Amino acid sequence: MAKPPYVVLLGDVGVGKSAIFEQLTGLTGRSGHAVTSTTLTSEIAESWDGRLIIADTPGANAMDDNFEHCLHIAQSMNIRPVTCVLLVVRADHRMDNVMSNVRKYAERFYTNFPSNLFGVCVTHMDTVTWTEHDFLLHVKEE
């Protein structure tokens, strides 16, 4: 029997990685509305339907304990073969800020993963006027 795909959630502090993890796994208590990172370690769990294994990671841009956060991210990337790195970014009024964030992570990780293993999830889309279609056009141009 084949193992379920392994997805690693990656991104800055406060973008919604843990909220996505909670929705996909049914687990609670990881997400928060704090100024600093509330996710201090990685957690790996099966999705509620058993079709995915998901790793929630600390924010890669944490102000405190940045080395430790990066260590947890590295461990999540090496615990088993990664099927997909899902970059989670928060929507911003200025789409170029979001694109800058995607670029920052793509420069670090995209070259290490084939394009079909690297995805982007934009959270908080209800706070902006631009659409998914607008964003995808910019991503394709890059």
Side-chain angles (χ1 to χ4, degrees), residues 59-100:
N61 67 332
M63 293 189 324
D64 298 326
D65 300 321
N66 195 357
F67 176 77
E68 194 170 319
H69 285 214
C70 290
L71 184 61
H72 284 287
I73 293 167
Q75 288 171 335
S76 294
M77 295 284 210
N78 289 290
I79 206 157
R80 61 175 290 179
V82 176
T83 307
C84 177
V85 172
L86 186 60
L87 172 61
V88 182
V89 293
R90 184 182 185 110
D92 185 86
H93 177 70
R94 293 181 49 95
M95 191 188 316
D96 50 339
N97 289 341
V98 179
M99 287 301 302
S100 175

Side-chain angles (χ1 to χ4, degrees), residues 9-24 30-33 38-39 54-59 86-91 121-124:
L9 302 176
L10 183 67
D12 287 349
V13 171
V15 296
K17 297 179 304 297
S18 294
I20 292 170
F21 179 82
E22 288 178 346
Q23 289 293 310
L24 292 173
R30 287 191 62 84
S31 65
H33 301 289
T38 54
T39 304
I54 304 132
D56 182 23
T57 62
L86 186 60
L87 172 61
V88 182
V89 293
R90 184 182 185 110
C121 175
V122 182
T123 61
H124 301 86

